[in-house]
Structures are given as structure tokens and as C-alpha cells.
Amino acid sequence: MRWLVLISCALLTTGCGLRRSDPPVPRSATAQRLVELGLADGRAYELLRELVTAAPHRLSGSAGAARAVEWGKAAMERAGLSNVRLQEVMVPCWERGEVTELMLVEPAPGGPLAVTALGGSVATKDTGLEAALVVVRHESELDKLGPAVAGKIVLFNRPMPRALRNTFAAYGNAVPQRVEGAALAARHGAAGVLVRSMTTLIDDVPHTGGMRYDPAFPAIPAAAVSTQAAERLAALAAKGEVRLRLRLSCRTRPDVLSANVIGEIEGREQPGEIVLIGGHLDCWDVGQGAHDDGAGIIHCLEAARLLVRGGLRPRRTIRVVFFMNEENGLRGAEAYARQHGGEPHAAAIESDHGGFEPKGFTSNAKGGAFDRYKRIVSALAPFEMGALVAGGGGADIQPLGMRGVPLFSLLPAWHRYFDYHHSENDTIDAVNERELQMGAVALAYLAWALAEE
Amino acid sequence: MRWLVLISCALLTTGCGLRRSDPPVPRSATAQRLVELGLADGRAYELLRELVTAAPHRLSGSAGAARAVEWGKAAMERAGLSNVRLQEVMVPCWERGEVTELMLVEPAPGGPLAVTALGGSVATKDTGLEAALVVVRHESELDKLGPAVAGKIVLFNRPMPRALRNTFAAYGNAVPQRVEGAALAARHGAAGVLVRSMTTLIDDVPHTGGMRYDPAFPAIPAAAVSTQAAERLAALAAKGEVRLRLRLSCRTRPDVLSANVIGEIEGREQPGEIVLIGGHLDCWDVGQGAHDDGAGIIHCLEAARLLVRGGLRPRRTIRVVFFMNEENGLRGAEAYARQHGGEPHAAAIESDHGGFEPKGFTSNAKGGAFDRYKRIVSALAPFEMGALVAGGGGADIQPLGMRGVPLFSLLPAWHRYFDYHHSENDTIDAVNERELQMGAVALAYLAWALAEE
């Protein structure tokens, strides 16, 4: 009732002179309405608890991922979406296996050191890989070391630069070690690879993540060590020879049938035009993927639920997509673009940067379009989430961007993300109820505004 | 070295035409310098760990508070401050005692329920206070209930309004129950008081806090129950008679000699003019007071350390004050104002809203002064902490405000504060290293800018 009053007042104030293409007051009133509705009757945290209870581990191809798909479909139906369906897709199936162990052999037997296999790694032999350690800070050092690397375990130990205020930029600086390290080291004959965990914290929690091999060289075992373990190994190696034994029992199974989950708020005037909002349903098999990307899934689900509950059905269709297999394959994103990329998408918005307090959005739009979107997003400024800054979308909507669809990404506060990302720490306890809820509100507003304009 | 270059370039760019009263470029360069220095070489989290290790419990008059004073003096000296000294002050000494227990007697024996004595509460008798429960949502209901309250335990059960985006406003709405509840209930003859914990979470953690009695009526035992316990008791009371047994063994001892800790960066031109930055060294005896107000203490200490380390000695003196006894007396604030209130203070800045990501500052300034301060703070806008909004300072600098000193308060993100505030949850694990550091950087900048202008 309160909301009807609010909106009516707004309309009365501005009279009937509103241009259809530039209705600033209804936007502000809708933003206000969604903020208050979201805070008073939000269910984001409860929905996240549902997800991480139903499927704490959701790595593509796993039983957990299958449960997440089931939950996702049912949750969309409960939120009042229409046309809820699964889009089938074959996904890779990598398993960590039972054994993950890193022991010090020299200068003195010791261990275990905090380690986790990188996603996609091959196993060591059962007795493990025992080899001398070589520590590098940068990939380019491998070329100088040349044959000195052969038969060794290479530790890539470049920290995420602490001085970068944007932790995602810091991640961008350091993460090539994790993604390309094994391929680069194998080229020089290395027997295995360790990578310093991608976090700005100095602690004993290893962070996993994706990597890829170079088919022209052998696939060698690859794992991440905690930042403390990395610093300890580097300090030991600075003093003399270090030998390690790494044991991994990872395996890659045949591809498995899985699915994207799709649902819609059908547009009231142009249902064939789509504003997509999405996140990824899969996550790594450590922690609960609460921030990555449980938060993104819940942002989308709760945004849609708030719009349905508030009776806010915009002109265009809002399509919610829970993508499968972002972490190690992007098969869901590719399948979506293949099947639906030809449909008219007015915009695509991804949430894959965690459930922290939202500051606004990034967008790949340029020039006049960017300015127009900036005005639209600015209705969120009174709630301190009205920033629009230049940037990309996320991995799952990138294929749509290649087809010219304007991309957006929710921009949450970034200081804490890499404390949790891809680690056992990424659990629901690390998510704040109100911060998560505000992200859903911001997303609900932008989806509505883009579908309405 | 990098910074010297930066500042030199800035000066070269703008030439020699800078007006002394409006030097925007050096301000921006200094803000940038402090951000990078803080992120690259920050010690805020390490300093907080020192504090909560030396003195996890620091309630006024306790042995922990005495250790905190010692640590504070040594820490200021290590940070390179000058004129480091203690300002002695007598403080109250309330102790929780050994027994804190709330049991259900009717409709069926059960318990214990999550409870914590409010600071300043009297004890029950040894065997406890057994009485029937009356639940109210608002203080005004007591007048209607009248004599029906006599001899009963009153539960004040008004939640912090979730729909308020500003959690401090929500706290302001609900906290009178905690502060005044016992006095109001005693006026109607109640035997004891319970208050719903001040948090937006629904969980089983009780939150303590200050309260006061009305000397004209009996002092009755007062405690906070967790939000879950409050909801459970309210649900039971809606069905029929509820009887409880509350046992508290609190006591108030004679006042104890304690101290404010004071240190300075002496001004290079007008050392007699002061910009004060402060937080409070005391905290409740639950948790570690990591956010309240360990974070504030560390903000001030690290801000000063960064300025000393960066060679940024402004025209006026920056005085750092660790106030004693904010939580249950304000004796430190009063003593400071009494002894130093006559000295010329250009401004006073308090940090007592937690160690979360800073958004900027609040200020009590009006009109042209506010606009001028807004321009000064806006140098932090590129780092997303450049907001200046109308508001007060904090409790410790309020007496200076009464004398006309412009007050500022650091404004961190507010969504998470009341998850931790005054509870066992307020530990260093709840503080993020980078968020805490950014608060210190923001404070360093504003203190410098106000002392330089």
C-alpha cells in the first residue's frame, strides 16, 4: 500500500508531461520501492541457505551440480517465474579424488603443507611426485632458467599486488601463473607445478581455480599452496635445496549431461525482447561457493522474486539464466549463445563478483549509450549503489557481447572477495544478509529499468 | 621516492598560482599518496591484532583496560608520535560476575536461554529472580499496562527496523528500550527487565550495552536476550503464562584510576592549534571489541603512523586521543574537555562506527563551512570514500562540539556493524584487513588536510 502511495505521489508531482523515453521519477520511485521492499521482506539470505544446503558442492558434472539444477528449477517456479525450463548441455567432469598431499622431503622431512589441486590437474603417480623445488616470481624467469627447470617442481610465487585498490585488478595481475603455469613449466620439462594462492591474505588456506595444459607438452600435476606455505617454501629455497613430495589423485571422467536453468518474467508489451540476468550455478568443490557464485544466483533469483512480488512487469521480458560450467568450461554460456544468441537481447547483466555491498554496475557500452545507461543507473545513487563504470560483463555473457548485446556486471565492494574465492572459506557465514539483499535490489532495479525503457 | 615525484609533478602542473586557502592538487596528490602508502605498507590489521592480544577485554576499571592503556602509550611511541602521555581519570568499575543465566520455569522448565547482563545492572539475589513475563513492543505500552507490570519481568521486544537502510538509524529507533527500559519498568513496579538484542540478525547471540537507572525508583536487574530467545519468549507469552528465572551476579566496585592516552604530530607552523583524532580504548567485556572500538583506535594510530612515515607534518598539530570509558561513563571525554577544551581545536574527528569500508565522513558543520569541508573530503572521491554528509561526531568529542569545535566522524559501511556490536562476535576475525586499512587512510587524509588548510 505504502508503495502505491509513493508512486502515485511521484506521478502527481510530475503531472502528465512525462516523455515515454525519459521517465526519471518513476525510475526513482521504483528504485525506492525496490529498496524498501527488499529490506523489509527480502529473502535473499534464506534462498542462499536453501542453495548451499541442497548443494554445497556444485562442480560441473558432480551429483551436487545435478541437485543444484533441480533446486534451481524449483526455486524459479516458487519465485513465480514463467517458462521455467532446463537447457541441456554436456559438461566436463573433473574430480579431485581422495588424496591431496604436499610433504617436505629436504632440507628436513616435514608437512603436510596446505595445498589443493588446481581444477583440471592430472594426478601424480600413487607414490607421489618427488622432486626438487624451483621458485619463480614471474613466468618470464622460466626462459632464463631454461633446462634448470627440467624434472623439478616449479613454484610460481608472485603475490597479488596489495597496493592495487581494485582486488580484481590484482587478481588479473597474478592469475596467469595459475592458468598458464603448468603449460609454461611443462614446456621447459618441469615435472610439476605449485602456485601461490590467489588471495591478498597471508594465511594457511589454499585457493583452487582453473588452469589449462598446452596439448603440445606433457600434462603435469598442478596445485595451489596457501600463501603461508608459499612464503615458507620460498624462504627455504633461498637458503638451499628443497625437495618436495606432491600426491594428487585427480581424474577426468567422461562428459556428463547437465543443464542451464532458465525462467522468465514475460514482457507486457515486447515479450520477444530480452533483458538477461544471470550467474553461474556451478562452483568449485571446496567451501560452498557461497560468494562464487551462490551470491550471483541468489541476486538473480531474488531480483526476479521482488519484481514479481512488487507487480513490476516491464515492457520487455526479463530472462533469468543460471548458467552451468562457468568455472571449468563455459559450456553453459556457449550453449545459451548458440541456441538463444539470435534472439533480440536488449541487455545482459551478470553477477559473479560476490555478495558484498553493491556500488553499482560496470558496462561495456560506449559514448552516448554509456551516458544513457549512467542516467538509468543513477536512480540508485541515493542508496549508494548508483555508479556505472567502464568494464566488461562476466564470462557467461561474453558470447552475447560478441554479438553486440550491451553487457553489464554487478559491481560489489571488492576488498573481501579474495579472502574467500575458490577456497574452504567461501561459505554462507562469509555472506552478510543485508549486503546480499542490497545486491539483489540493485539488480532488480537495473533489469526492470532496461526492460522498461 | 615515487611520491616526491608525484607531488612535484602536481606542483609543476599548476604552477605557482596556488592560493594558500585552496590548493586542490596537493590535496589530491596527498590523498593518492596516502592510499598507496597505506595499501602497500599498511600495518592497521597487525596493530589491531596487537591490541586484542594485549587486552581482549577492556571494560573501564578492569585489568584489561589497564593493559590497553599501557599498550596504547607504547604503540603511540612506536608510531613516532611526540608528547605521548597519560591523562589520568577516575572511571566506574562494573563487573559482570560469574553467573548469567535465564531459565524457563513455565509453561515447562527449560533453558538456558541466551542472555547477557546489561552494563551497569544490579545482581539478582543468589537464587535468582523468578517472575512472570510481560512482553511489550514499545515503552508506551507500560503506561497502559500499569499495575499489571508489578512484580513481573518485562521483555522489551521491538526489533531494530530492518527496512531502514541505515542500521545506525535502526539502532537509534530500538536502543531506548535498552538504555531506559529498566528505569521505565521500575517506575511501574517491575522486578526485572529483559531487552531484545540490538541486531538485525535473527540468531542466538546476546548483545550487551549500557543502561541507566532512575534514582527515584528501585534498580532492577536488566539483561539482553538473543533475538531468537526474544522471539521464542514472545511466542510463548502469546499462548499463555510464562515464568522465568533470571540469575545475575553483577556488581559495581569503587571507581578506579585509569587514563586517556594522548600523543601528537606537532604542527610545523601553528603547533598550538589542534586537529584531534580519537576513538575509545575501553570496550565491553564480551568479544574483543575489535570493531567497537578497536577499529577506531587503530584508525587513529595507523593514520598517525602513515603521516609520520610519509613525512607529512602539517601546519597545525594533529593530536591523537585514545579516550577511556566511552561505553559506560564518558569520564575520559569529560576529563579531556575539562583540561583541554580551552585550547584552540580546529576540528575533532572520531572513529567509532567500526572497521568497515569507509564511505567518507559525517560533519556537524553548516552552510559555507560544510561546503568547504565537502571540497576537502572530495579529494577522497576517486577512492570511493569522498562523501561528506550531515551528522554528528561521536560521544567522545561531543563536549568539544558544545564549545563550537567542528566535529567529524568517520563513516564506514554500516550493514554489518550490528552483527558484531557489543557481542561475543566482535572479534578480529570479523574485521577485514583491507577495509580497516582504508579507514585509516581516509582518516589520515582528513586529519592532514584540516591541519594543513
Side-chain angles (χ1 to χ4, degrees):
Chain A
M1 186 55 163
R2 190 167 172 189
W3 313 122
L4 286 175
V5 173
L6 227 177
I7 288 193
S8 307
C9 292
L11 289 170
L12 283 172
T13 310
T14 54
C16 300
L18 285 175
R19 283 170 297 157
R20 190 167 171 172
S21 60
D22 189 17
V25 176
R27 273 188 200 142
S28 296
T30 303
Q32 173 83 27
R33 178 179 177 179
L34 286 166
V35 166
E36 298 197 19
L37 185 62
L39 282 173
D41 297 309
R43 292 200 54 212
Y45 201 75
E46 201 177 324
L47 292 170
L48 181 60
R49 194 179 296 285
E50 271 186 30
L51 168 59
V52 303
T53 304
H57 303 309
R58 309 183 292 280
L59 187 57
S60 292
S62 68
R67 279 195 300 275
V69 167
E70 269 175 48
W71 169 86
K73 186 163 179 289
M76 280 192 189
E77 284 161 353
R78 283 192 296 267
L81 298 192
S82 52
N83 308 327
V84 178
R85 72 251 191 213
L86 303 185
Q87 178 188 20
E88 294 190 344
V89 55
M90 296 299 292
V91 296
C93 182
W94 175 82
E95 291 174 352
R96 184 172 303 279
E98 298 71 34
V99 184
T100 307
E101 189 184 83
L102 181 64
M103 308 295 284
L104 202 57
V105 178
E106 284 178 23
L113 292 148
V115 67
T116 184
L118 292 182
S121 175
V122 295
T124 61
K125 59 185 178 183
D126 281 358
T127 52
L129 163 66
E130 189 184 312
L133 179 70
V134 178
V135 182
V136 299
R137 294 272 288 196
H138 198 275
E139 297 85 322
S140 61
E141 292 170 49
L142 287 177
D143 291 329
K144 292 178 213 148
L145 288 166
V149 167
K152 308 251 171 84
I153 294 174
V154 178
L155 166 62
F156 291 91
N157 190 34
R158 181 167 75 259
M160 282 173 60
R162 289 170 57 90
L164 287 178
R165 206 172 56 88
N166 181 336
T167 56
F168 285 89
Y171 181 67
N173 176 291
V175 78
Q177 302 168 100
R178 189 194 77 205
V179 178
E180 309 291 353
L184 293 170
R187 204 170 291 174
H188 292 278
V193 155
L194 298 173
V195 181
R196 180 188 179 100
S197 282
M198 297 294 136
T199 176
T200 50
L201 294 181
I202 302 297
D203 66 11
D204 214 24
V205 180
H207 296 237
T208 189
M211 46 83 65
R212 57 186 167 219
Y213 291 119
D214 180 343
F217 293 92
I220 58 177
V225 289
S226 70
T227 48
Q228 275 177 1
E231 302 226 324
R232 184 175 163 209
L233 289 173
L236 285 173
K239 289 191 211 151
E241 163 127 338
V242 175
R243 288 184 70 77
L244 297 171
R245 193 172 64 246
L246 175 67
R247 286 181 68 209
L248 301 177
S249 60
C250 325
R251 53 188 164 254
T252 297
R253 295 189 181 278
D255 286 2
V256 167
L257 182 66
S258 184
N260 294 331
V261 187
I262 304 178
E264 288 166 357
I265 299 174
E266 211 167 12
R268 67 173 197 277
E269 289 181 17
Q270 289 126 287
E273 292 182 24
I274 293 149
V275 170
L276 181 150
I277 60 176
H280 64 86
L281 197 49
D282 63 306
C283 67
W284 287 105
D285 57 338
V286 292
Q288 303 176 328
H291 278 292
D292 184 13
D293 186 28
I297 291 295
I298 299 306
H299 282 152
C300 296
L301 179 64
E302 172 72 356
R305 192 192 70 83
L306 289 173
L307 291 172
V308 169
R309 186 144 189 287
L312 289 161
R313 187 177 168 196
R315 286 214 274 266
R316 298 187 184 81
T317 290
I318 294 175
R319 181 179 287 167
V320 183
V321 184
F322 296 168
F323 290 98
M324 180 50 66
N325 187 223
E326 191 267 356
E327 292 292 6
N328 59 342
L330 287 174
R331 302 275 185 89
E334 287 161 6
Y336 181 86
R338 214 161 36 234
Q339 188 179 335
H340 296 290
E343 298 166 23
H345 283 72
I349 317 172
E350 185 160 336
S351 171
D352 188 16
H353 289 80
F356 308 97
E357 185 171 1
K359 293 170 174 290
F361 294 86
T362 59
S363 172
N364 72 346
K366 308 278 182 234
F370 187 86
D371 295 342
R372 186 162 51 87
Y373 293 134
K374 207 172 169 74
R375 280 195 300 277
I376 291 177
V377 174
S378 71
L380 294 172
F383 317 107
E384 294 163 359
M385 47 193 196
L388 186 72
V389 299
D396 278 320
I397 57 175
Q398 213 58 53
L400 295 175
M402 305 290 277
R403 293 165 180 259
V405 177
L407 304 185
F408 297 82
S409 180
L410 185 69
L411 177 64
W414 55 46
H415 285 304
R416 287 175 281 150
Y417 189 67
F418 294 97
D419 296 7
Y420 310 118
H421 182 246
H422 294 185
S423 82
E424 292 292 351
N425 287 345
D426 189 7
T427 61
I428 191 168
D429 297 335
V431 180
N432 176 271
E433 195 173 329
R434 293 172 66 92
E435 292 184 340
L436 182 69
Q437 187 66 42
M438 291 306 285
V441 167
L443 184 58
Y445 166 76
L446 184 59
W448 170 84
L450 294 174
E452 183 68 15
E453 70 147 3
Chain B
M1 187 53 165
R2 193 170 170 189
W3 312 121
L4 286 176
V5 173
L6 228 177
I7 289 194
S8 307
C9 292
L11 289 171
L12 283 171
T13 310
T14 53
C16 300
L18 285 176
R19 282 171 298 157
R20 189 166 170 172
S21 61
D22 188 17
V25 176
R27 275 191 199 140
S28 296
T30 303
Q32 172 83 27
R33 177 180 178 178
L34 286 166
V35 167
E36 299 197 20
L37 185 62
L39 282 173
D41 296 309
R43 292 200 56 213
Y45 200 75
E46 200 177 323
L47 292 171
L48 181 60
R49 193 180 296 284
E50 270 186 29
L51 169 59
V52 302
T53 303
H57 304 309
R58 308 184 293 280
L59 187 57
S60 291
S62 68
R67 280 194 301 275
V69 167
E70 269 175 47
W71 169 87
K73 185 163 180 287
M76 280 192 189
E77 283 161 354
R78 284 193 296 267
L81 297 193
S82 51
N83 308 327
V84 177
R85 71 244 190 219
L86 303 185
Q87 179 189 19
E88 293 189 345
V89 56
M90 296 300 291
V91 296
C93 182
W94 175 83
E95 291 175 352
R96 184 172 302 281
E98 299 70 35
V99 184
T100 307
E101 190 185 82
L102 181 64
M103 307 295 283
L104 202 57
V105 178
E106 285 177 23
L113 292 148
V115 68
T116 184
L118 292 183
S121 175
V122 296
T124 61
K125 59 184 178 182
D126 280 359
T127 52
L129 163 67
E130 190 184 311
L133 179 69
V134 178
V135 182
V136 300
R137 295 274 287 196
H138 199 276
E139 297 85 323
S140 61
E141 291 171 49
L142 287 177
D143 291 328
K144 291 178 215 151
L145 288 166
V149 167
K152 308 252 171 87
I153 293 174
V154 178
L155 167 61
F156 291 91
N157 190 33
R158 180 166 76 260
M160 281 172 60
R162 290 170 56 89
L164 287 179
R165 205 172 56 87
N166 181 337
T167 55
F168 285 88
Y171 181 67
N173 177 291
V175 77
Q177 303 168 99
R178 189 194 76 206
V179 178
E180 309 291 351
L184 292 171
R187 205 169 292 174
H188 293 278
V193 155
L194 297 174
V195 181
R196 180 190 179 100
S197 282
M198 298 293 135
T199 175
T200 51
L201 293 181
I202 302 296
D203 66 11
D204 214 23
V205 179
H207 296 237
T208 190
M211 45 85 65
R212 57 184 166 219
Y213 291 118
D214 180 343
F217 293 91
I220 58 177
V225 289
S226 70
T227 49
Q228 275 177 4
E231 303 227 324
R232 185 176 162 211
L233 291 173
L236 285 172
K239 288 191 211 149
E241 163 128 340
V242 176
R243 289 184 69 79
L244 296 171
R245 193 174 62 247
L246 175 66
R247 286 182 69 210
L248 301 178
S249 60
C250 325
R251 53 186 164 254
T252 297
R253 295 190 181 278
D255 287 2
V256 167
L257 182 65
S258 185
N260 294 329
V261 187
I262 303 177
E264 288 167 356
I265 299 173
E266 210 168 12
R268 66 173 198 277
E269 289 181 16
Q270 288 125 287
E273 292 182 24
I274 293 148
V275 171
L276 181 151
I277 60 177
H280 65 86
L281 196 50
D282 63 306
C283 68
W284 288 106
D285 56 338
V286 293
Q288 303 176 328
H291 278 292
D292 184 14
D293 187 26
I297 291 296
I298 300 305
H299 282 151
C300 296
L301 178 64
E302 172 70 357
R305 193 192 69 85
L306 289 173
L307 292 172
V308 170
R309 186 143 189 287
L312 289 161
R313 187 178 169 197
R315 286 212 275 266
R316 297 186 184 82
T317 290
I318 294 176
R319 181 179 288 168
V320 183
V321 183
F322 296 168
F323 290 97
M324 181 49 68
N325 187 226
E326 191 270 354
E327 292 293 5
N328 60 339
L330 288 174
R331 302 277 185 88
E334 287 161 8
Y336 180 87
R338 214 163 34 235
Q339 187 178 337
H340 296 290
E343 299 166 22
H345 283 73
I349 318 172
E350 183 160 338
S351 171
D352 188 16
H353 289 80
F356 308 97
E357 186 172 1
K359 293 171 176 290
F361 294 86
T362 58
S363 172
N364 72 346
K366 308 278 181 237
F370 187 86
D371 295 342
R372 186 162 53 87
Y373 293 134
K374 207 172 167 75
R375 281 196 299 279
I376 291 176
V377 174
S378 71
L380 294 172
F383 317 107
E384 294 162 359
M385 46 193 196
L388 186 72
V389 298
D396 278 321
I397 56 176
Q398 212 57 53
L400 295 174
M402 306 290 277
R403 293 166 179 256
V405 177
L407 304 185
F408 297 82
S409 179
L410 185 69
L411 176 63
W414 55 46
H415 285 305
R416 287 175 280 149
Y417 189 66
F418 294 96
D419 296 7
Y420 310 118
H421 183 244
H422 293 184
S423 82
E424 292 292 351
N425 286 346
D426 189 6
T427 61
I428 191 167
D429 297 334
V431 180
N432 176 271
E433 194 173 328
R434 292 173 65 92
E435 292 184 340
L436 181 68
Q437 187 66 42
M438 291 306 285
V441 167
L443 184 57
Y445 166 76
L446 184 58
W448 171 85
L450 294 175
E452 183 68 14
E453 70 147 4

